[in-house]
């Protein structure tokens, strides 16, 4: 069973812990606007969806993420800018992949 719970964490605007039935992984947004998660996270797309959803609901004006999520960040509205991917509140989206 998967669960993703919001918890406070110093240095983070918000932080989540994802439990996959065996392990707990963390992810969140730094005060500087970077979205990140533990490298060993088994459900990185679920974590990113959680983070993007929170950003969209709270009207975060701009965020960025580094490569290494293991999937295409442009599906979520990010645009590559050098070493990182950036998105604005207007460009963020939650892709549904339905056809």
């Amino acid at each position: 069973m998967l669960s993703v719970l919001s918890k406070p964490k110093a240095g983070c605007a918000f932080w989540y812990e994802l439990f996959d039935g065996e392990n707990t992984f963390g992810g969140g947004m730094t005060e500087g606007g970077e979205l990140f998660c533990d490298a060993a996270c088994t459900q990185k797309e679920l974590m990113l969806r959680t983070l993007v959803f929170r950003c969209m609901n709270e009207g975060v004006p701009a965020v960025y993420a580094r490569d290494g999520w293991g999937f295409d960040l442009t599906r979520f509205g990010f645009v590559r800018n050098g070493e990182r991917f950036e998105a604005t509140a207007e460009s963020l989206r939650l892709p549904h992949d339905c056809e």
Side-chain angles (χ1 to χ4, degrees):
M1 182 162 124
L2 294 171
S3 67
V4 183
L5 300 173
S6 177
K7 296 191 175 187
K9 182 171 174 115
C12 291
F14 50 82
W15 171 260
Y16 286 89
E17 289 184 356
L18 184 150
F19 179 68
D20 70 0
E22 293 182 21
N23 301 297
T24 301
F25 305 98
M29 185 176 84
T30 66
E31 295 291 344
E34 180 179 2
L35 301 181
F36 68 96
C37 77
D38 292 338
C41 182
T42 58
Q43 300 291 324
K44 288 183 180 179
E45 186 164 341
L46 175 58
M47 180 63 82
L48 184 63
R49 285 179 175 280
T50 301
L51 301 176
V52 167
F53 181 78
R54 175 88 178 252
C55 290
M56 292 169 71
N57 280 343
E58 293 192 5
V60 175
V63 295
Y64 72 95
R66 301 194 189 277
D67 207 359
W69 286 83
F71 50 87
D72 183 11
L73 296 178
T74 62
R75 293 175 46 238
F76 292 83
F78 289 87
V79 174
R80 182 181 281 280
N81 186 1
E83 294 293 314
R84 64 188 205 176
F85 290 84
E86 300 175 344
T88 64
E90 295 80 24
S91 70
L92 278 176
R93 62 182 174 266
L94 291 170
H96 54 77
D97 298 330
C98 295
E99 294 193 34

